[in-house]
């Protein structure tokens, strides 16, 4: 059962997918599994929906693992899924959130890449799509969105790790989310989780111009990283993508923000640079626990600031 | 399965824009097969790059020649991967 599932170790794609099925079976009133598409190599793309009723309620989206080698993020996503089922009806804040909003959680956002990190190359980051005319494989799914696509901050060379793809939404893993977000039409917060560097980032990445909601996003980020640090003292920096790290075009949250989803954030989880992507499994649970406090802060604010 | 024996992850510190540009030159040298874990960005923010064993000397010579400071963040990537795999297999064995 999900009570005996080991959250303190890394798992394969099959183990994570069977965890999802167990969670749905244990909480059929709260959790359902949606398939939003199939990957380039034909794997199903699943999203867990946490809902207490209603129809097309305002919703919060959380995704992990869009860069497949960032294993602590998928592992944290598994932990978040269990935490939501444990806390609903127990934790006042989460109960209030789920009594009015839905939560969508995509744990393995790049299944082909994730499977490849287990089978062939632990360092793989991109999708596994083939590019006509090139022997190199894959597109960076965080440069493939239709927001500043093709501008500085991504590569046009298929052999690089930040290759943006031939055109925006060329990657089915990206297009599936785009179609889902558009068809749902009522998502109010979109949080995409990466590692590493311990950062909480908001738009924009492709241009230096401040986002119209910059002040509010900055204030909320400050509250979120303060909540995160309260558990183990883990320090996060926060700010716009372009100012805090570097120019990045075609990124997820620049597109979601352009769709009117005001509370659009990217997390870069532990660590700051000892293990990087090879974060020991012993740090999975503490990383997930502290990140959850920040997520809860953003979700609570979203609930209390409808727009 | 890809093998990372001898691969090192270097943490480069680029103090100003000119040094960031130097690192970007390195990024363009495809034959070195560099994997930037944290790409070149704002001056002062760390740049982490995985360097395959055959490229290590050349990269370190380049950095030293251009006055770019660096530390070794991970001495041998494969040894960390081996630890990670052992931990996963141990868990799977126990759960079976």
């Amino acid at each position: 059962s999900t009570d005996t599932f080991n959250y303190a170790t890394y798992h394969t794609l099959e183990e994570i997918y069977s965890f999802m099925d167990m969670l749905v079976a244990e909480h059929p009133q709260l959790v359902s599994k949606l398939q939003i598409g199939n990957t380039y190599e034909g794997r199903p793309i699943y999203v867990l929906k946490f809902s207490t009723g209603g129809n097309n309620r305002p919703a919060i989206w959380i995704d992990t693992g869009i860069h497949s080698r960032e294993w602590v993020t998928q592992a944290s996503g598994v932990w978040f899924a269990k935490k939501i089922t444990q806390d609903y009806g127990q934790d006042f804040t989460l109960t209030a959130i789920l009594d009015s909003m839905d939560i969508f959680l995509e744990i393995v956002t790049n299944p082909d890449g994730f499977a490849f990190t287990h089978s062939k190359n632990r360092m793989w980051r991109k999708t596994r799509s083939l590019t006509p005319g090139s022997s190199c494989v894959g597109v960076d799914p965080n440069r493939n969105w239709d927001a500043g696509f093709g501008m500085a901050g991504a590569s046009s060379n298929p052999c690089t790790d930040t290759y943006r793809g031939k055109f925006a939404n060329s990657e089915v893993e990206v297009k599936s989310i785009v179609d889902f977000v558009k068809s749902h039409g009522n998502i109010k917060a979109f949080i995409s989780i990466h590692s590493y560097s311990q950062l909480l980032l908001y738009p924009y990445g492709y241009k230096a111009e401040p986002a119209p909601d910059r002040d509010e996003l900055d204030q909320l980020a400050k509250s979120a990283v303060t909540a995160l640090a309260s558990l183990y003292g883990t320090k996060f920096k926060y700010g716009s993508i372009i100012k805090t790290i570097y120019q990045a075009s075609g990124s997820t949250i620049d597109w979601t923000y352009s769709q009117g989803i005001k509370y659009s954030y990217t997390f870069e989880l532990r660590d700051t640079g000892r293990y990087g992507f090879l974060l020991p499994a012993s740090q999975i649970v503490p990383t997930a626990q502290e990140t959850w406090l920040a997520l809860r802060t953003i979700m609570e604010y979203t609930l209390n600031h409808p727009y | 399965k890809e093998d990372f024996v001898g691969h090192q992850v270097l943490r480069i510190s680029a103090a100003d824009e000119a040094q960031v540009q130097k690192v970007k030159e390195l990024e363009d040298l495809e034959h070195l097969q560099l994997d930037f874990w944290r790409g070149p960005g704002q001056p002062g923010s760390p740049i982490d790059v995985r360097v395959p064993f055959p490229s290590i000397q050349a990269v370190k010579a380049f950095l030293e020649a251009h006055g770019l400071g660096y530390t070794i963040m991970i001495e041998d990537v494969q040894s960390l991967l081996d630890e990670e795999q052992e931990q996963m297999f141990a868990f799977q064995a126990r759960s079976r």
Side-chain angles (χ1 to χ4, degrees):
Chain A
S1 81
T2 60
D3 287 335
T4 57
F5 188 84
N6 186 335
Y7 297 91
T9 188
Y10 290 116
H11 290 277
T12 63
L13 181 66
E14 295 71 25
E15 288 166 345
I16 293 175
Y17 278 8
S18 69
F19 163 83
M20 288 183 194
D21 291 335
M22 286 194 290
L23 196 72
V24 170
E26 292 165 7
H27 305 276
Q29 303 311 314
L30 178 60
V31 197
S32 55
K33 182 178 84 174
L34 316 176
Q35 180 171 350
I36 63 169
N38 286 293
T39 66
Y40 181 86
E41 292 178 337
R43 293 180 174 87
I45 304 173
Y46 292 130
V47 173
L48 291 178
K49 176 181 181 182
F50 300 84
S51 179
T52 58
N55 181 32
N56 200 251
R57 280 177 166 176
I60 293 158
W61 170 280
I62 300 168
D63 68 63
T64 53
I66 195 166
H67 284 149
S68 37
R69 66 184 175 184
E70 300 164 8
W71 278 14
V72 69
T73 69
Q74 298 96 333
S76 298
V78 168
W79 190 92
F80 298 151
K82 177 67 176 172
K83 180 67 172 171
I84 292 169
T85 62
Q86 287 172 321
D87 278 10
Y88 181 67
Q90 306 299 320
D91 174 86
F92 175 80
T93 300
L94 185 79
T95 304
I97 291 163
L98 276 173
D99 281 348
S100 306
M101 303 182 82
D102 292 342
I103 297 175
F104 292 98
L105 172 59
E106 185 176 6
I107 296 175
V108 188
T109 306
N110 176 4
D112 291 351
F114 188 59
F116 196 70
T117 60
H118 281 274
S119 63
K120 294 285 188 311
N121 181 347
R122 172 70 178 77
M123 295 301 155
W124 193 261
R125 156 191 170 103
K126 300 191 286 183
T127 63
R128 290 294 302 165
S129 60
L130 301 182
T131 299
S134 171
S135 59
C136 292
V137 175
V139 169
D140 181 345
N142 197 32
R143 297 293 187 281
N144 188 241
W145 300 71
D146 197 7
F149 178 82
M151 292 174 66
S155 167
S156 58
N157 176 353
C159 298
T160 60
D161 256 349
T162 55
Y163 175 50
R164 64 178 183 240
K166 283 244 184 284
F167 51 89
N169 301 335
S170 63
E171 301 312 286
V172 64
E173 294 83 359
V174 169
K175 184 72 166 55
S176 301
I177 300 172
V178 167
D179 293 344
F180 178 84
V181 167
K182 286 183 172 179
S183 68
H184 185 282
N186 202 11
I187 291 176
K188 298 298 179 185
F190 194 106
I191 302 161
S192 190
I193 299 182
H194 292 246
S195 80
Y196 63 97
S197 300
Q198 292 175 202
L199 303 170
L200 179 51
L201 305 167
Y202 50 77
Y204 292 109
Y206 73 94
K207 59 182 177 180
E209 171 196 329
D213 302 295
R214 190 269 311 270
D215 293 346
E216 185 181 8
L217 290 171
D218 198 74
Q219 274 306 310
L220 178 50
K222 182 177 181 181
S223 307
V225 300
T226 303
L228 187 151
S230 68
L231 192 54
Y232 298 112
T234 306
K235 297 207 177 335
F236 270 55
K237 291 181 184 165
Y238 58 93
S240 69
I241 299 170
I242 193 166
K243 283 199 169 16
T244 312
I245 35 174
Y246 43 50
Q247 186 170 18
S249 61
S251 71
T252 309
I253 63 168
D254 279 356
W255 179 78
T256 58
Y257 188 73
S258 76
Q259 298 302 299
I261 302 175
K262 180 171 22 169
Y263 306 119
S264 289
Y265 286 100
T266 288
F267 277 86
E268 292 281 354
L269 305 186
R270 290 187 190 185
D271 60 17
T272 53
R274 167 64 191 88
Y275 296 102
F277 304 121
L278 305 180
L279 195 71
S282 57
Q283 292 198 40
I284 293 171
V285 173
T287 300
Q289 288 171 327
E290 66 191 11
T291 308
W292 178 254
L293 299 180
L295 289 174
R296 194 165 160 277
T297 301
I298 294 170
M299 294 195 287
E300 183 182 23
Y301 186 91
T302 304
L303 172 69
N304 296 333
H305 296 78
Y307 62 93
Chain B
K1 207 159 195 176
E2 188 104 12
D3 178 286
F4 298 95
V5 173
H7 290 218
Q8 290 190 334
V9 179
L10 305 183
R11 167 153 286 193
I12 303 168
S13 40
D16 54 34
E17 194 49 46
Q19 289 201 330
V20 171
Q21 288 311 316
K22 270 296 162 211
V23 178
K24 285 186 175 175
E25 281 176 33
L26 208 52
E27 200 173 15
D28 293 338
L29 303 177
E30 276 187 37
H31 67 284
L32 292 174
Q33 295 282 301
L34 300 181
D35 171 17
F36 279 84
W37 284 17
R38 283 183 62 153
Q42 307 289 353
S45 83
I47 301 167
D48 299 342
V49 56
R50 174 173 61 85
V51 184
F53 180 68
S55 306
I56 288 180
Q57 286 317 318
V59 169
K60 288 179 177 176
F62 177 94
L63 296 173
E64 285 151 18
H66 294 97
L68 281 151
Y70 67 87
T71 57
I72 300 175
M73 177 176 147
I74 295 176
E75 283 281 351
D76 183 301
V77 170
Q78 191 58 45
S79 59
L80 273 188
L81 292 182
D82 293 344
E83 279 174 40
E84 185 177 78
Q85 287 295 300
E86 278 157 32
Q87 192 269 343
M88 281 178 72
F89 292 146
F91 153 69
Q92 284 163 355
R94 273 201 307 278
S95 65
R96 267 195 291 277

Coordinates of all heavy atoms in Angstrom, one line a residue, chain B residues 39-66:
Chain B
G39 N 24.2 26.5 -16.1 CA 24.8 27.2 -17.2 C 25.4 28.5 -16.8 O 25.0 29.1 -15.7
P40 N 26.2 29.1 -17.7 CA 26.7 30.5 -17.4 C 25.5 31.5 -17.4 O 24.6 31.4 -18.2 CB 27.6 30.8 -18.6 CG 27.4 29.7 -19.6 CD 26.7 28.6 -18.9
G41 N 25.5 32.3 -16.4 CA 24.4 33.3 -16.2 C 25.0 34.6 -15.7 O 25.9 35.1 -16.3
Q42 N 24.4 35.1 -14.6 CA 24.9 36.3 -14.0 C 26.3 36.2 -13.5 O 26.6 35.1 -13.0 CB 24.0 36.7 -12.8 CG 22.5 36.7 -13.1 CD 22.1 37.9 -14.0 OE1 22.9 38.7 -14.3 NE2 20.9 37.9 -14.4
P43 N 27.1 37.2 -13.8 CA 28.5 37.2 -13.1 C 28.4 36.9 -11.6 O 27.5 37.5 -11.0 CB 29.0 38.6 -13.4 CG 28.3 39.0 -14.7 CD 26.9 38.5 -14.5
G44 N 29.2 36.1 -11.1 CA 29.2 35.8 -9.7 C 28.4 34.6 -9.3 O 28.6 34.0 -8.3
S45 N 27.4 34.2 -10.2 CA 26.6 33.0 -9.8 C 27.4 31.8 -10.4 O 27.9 31.8 -11.5 CB 25.2 33.1 -10.4 OG 25.1 32.6 -11.7
P46 N 27.4 30.7 -9.6 CA 28.3 29.6 -9.9 C 27.9 28.9 -11.2 O 26.7 28.9 -11.6 CB 28.1 28.6 -8.7 CG 26.9 29.1 -8.0 CD 26.7 30.5 -8.3
I47 N 28.9 28.4 -11.9 CA 28.6 27.6 -13.1 C 29.2 26.2 -12.9 O 30.3 26.0 -12.5 CB 29.4 28.2 -14.3 CG1 29.0 29.7 -14.5 CG2 29.3 27.4 -15.6 CD1 29.9 30.5 -15.4
D48 N 28.3 25.2 -13.0 CA 28.7 23.8 -12.7 C 28.7 23.0 -14.0 O 27.7 23.1 -14.8 CB 27.7 23.1 -11.7 CG 27.6 23.8 -10.4 OD1 28.6 24.6 -10.1 OD2 26.6 23.6 -9.7
V49 N 29.7 22.3 -14.3 CA 29.8 21.6 -15.5 C 30.4 20.2 -15.3 O 31.4 20.1 -14.6 CB 30.7 22.4 -16.6 CG1 32.1 22.8 -16.1 CG2 30.7 21.7 -17.9
R50 N 29.8 19.2 -15.9 CA 30.3 17.9 -15.8 C 31.3 17.7 -17.0 O 30.9 18.0 -18.2 CB 29.2 16.8 -16.0 CG 29.7 15.4 -16.1 CD 28.6 14.4 -16.0 NE 27.7 14.5 -17.1 CZ 27.8 14.0 -18.3 NH1 28.9 13.3 -18.6 NH2 26.9 14.2 -19.2
V51 N 32.5 17.3 -16.7 CA 33.6 17.2 -17.7 C 34.0 15.7 -17.9 O 34.4 15.1 -16.9 CB 34.8 18.0 -17.3 CG1 35.8 18.0 -18.4 CG2 34.4 19.5 -17.0
P52 N 33.8 15.2 -19.1 CA 34.2 13.8 -19.3 C 35.7 13.7 -19.0 O 36.5 14.6 -19.3 CB 33.9 13.5 -20.7 CG 32.8 14.5 -21.1 CD 33.1 15.7 -20.2
F53 N 36.2 12.5 -18.6 CA 37.6 12.3 -18.3 C 38.5 12.8 -19.4 O 39.5 13.6 -19.1 CB 37.9 10.8 -17.9 CG 39.3 10.6 -17.6 CD1 39.8 11.1 -16.4 CD2 40.1 9.9 -18.5 CE1 41.2 10.9 -16.1 CE2 41.4 9.6 -18.1 CZ 42.0 10.1 -17.0
P54 N 38.3 12.4 -20.7 CA 39.3 12.8 -21.7 C 39.4 14.3 -21.9 O 40.3 14.8 -22.5 CB 38.7 12.2 -23.0 CG 37.8 11.1 -22.5 CD 37.2 11.6 -21.2
S55 N 38.4 15.1 -21.4 CA 38.4 16.6 -21.6 C 39.0 17.3 -20.4 O 39.1 18.5 -20.5 CB 37.0 17.1 -21.9 OG 36.5 16.4 -23.0
I56 N 39.2 16.6 -19.3 CA 39.5 17.3 -18.0 C 40.7 18.2 -18.1 O 40.7 19.4 -17.8 CB 39.6 16.3 -16.9 CG1 38.2 15.8 -16.5 CG2 40.2 17.0 -15.7 CD1 38.2 14.8 -15.4
Q57 N 41.8 17.6 -18.7 CA 43.0 18.4 -18.7 C 42.8 19.7 -19.6 O 43.2 20.8 -19.2 CB 44.2 17.6 -19.3 CG 44.7 16.5 -18.3 CD 44.8 17.1 -16.8 OE1 45.3 18.2 -16.6 NE2 44.4 16.3 -15.9
A58 N 42.2 19.5 -20.7 CA 42.0 20.6 -21.6 C 41.2 21.7 -21.0 O 41.5 22.9 -21.1 CB 41.4 20.1 -22.9
V59 N 40.1 21.3 -20.3 CA 39.2 22.3 -19.7 C 40.0 23.0 -18.6 O 39.9 24.3 -18.5 CB 38.0 21.6 -19.2 CG1 37.2 22.5 -18.3 CG2 37.1 21.1 -20.3
K60 N 40.7 22.3 -17.7 CA 41.4 22.9 -16.6 C 42.5 23.9 -17.2 O 42.6 25.0 -16.7 CB 42.0 21.9 -15.7 CG 40.9 21.2 -14.9 CD 41.5 20.1 -13.9 CE 40.4 19.5 -13.1 NZ 40.9 18.4 -12.2
A61 N 43.1 23.5 -18.2 CA 44.1 24.4 -18.8 C 43.5 25.6 -19.3 O 44.0 26.7 -19.1 CB 44.9 23.6 -20.0
F62 N 42.4 25.5 -20.0 CA 41.6 26.6 -20.5 C 41.2 27.6 -19.4 O 41.5 28.8 -19.4 CB 40.4 26.2 -21.2 CG 39.5 27.3 -21.8 CD1 39.6 27.7 -23.1 CD2 38.5 27.9 -21.0 CE1 38.8 28.7 -23.6 CE2 37.7 28.9 -21.5 CZ 37.9 29.3 -22.8
L63 N 40.7 27.0 -18.3 CA 40.2 27.9 -17.2 C 41.4 28.6 -16.6 O 41.4 29.8 -16.3 CB 39.5 27.0 -16.1 CG 38.2 26.3 -16.6 CD1 37.7 25.3 -15.5 CD2 37.2 27.3 -17.0
E64 N 42.5 27.9 -16.4 CA 43.7 28.5 -15.7 C 44.3 29.5 -16.6 O 44.6 30.6 -16.2 CB 44.7 27.4 -15.4 CG 44.3 26.6 -14.1 CD 44.8 25.2 -14.1 OE1 45.8 24.9 -14.9 OE2 44.2 24.3 -13.4
A65 N 44.3 29.2 -17.9 CA 44.8 30.2 -18.9 C 44.1 31.5 -18.9 O 44.6 32.6 -19.1 CB 44.9 29.6 -20.3
H66 N 42.8 31.4 -18.6 CA 41.9 32.7 -18.6 C 41.6 33.2 -17.2 O 40.7 33.9 -17.0 CB 40.7 32.4 -19.4 CG 40.9 32.2 -20.9 ND1 41.1 30.9 -21.4 CD2 41.2 33.0 -21.9 CE1 41.3 31.0 -22.7 NE2 41.4 32.2 -23.0

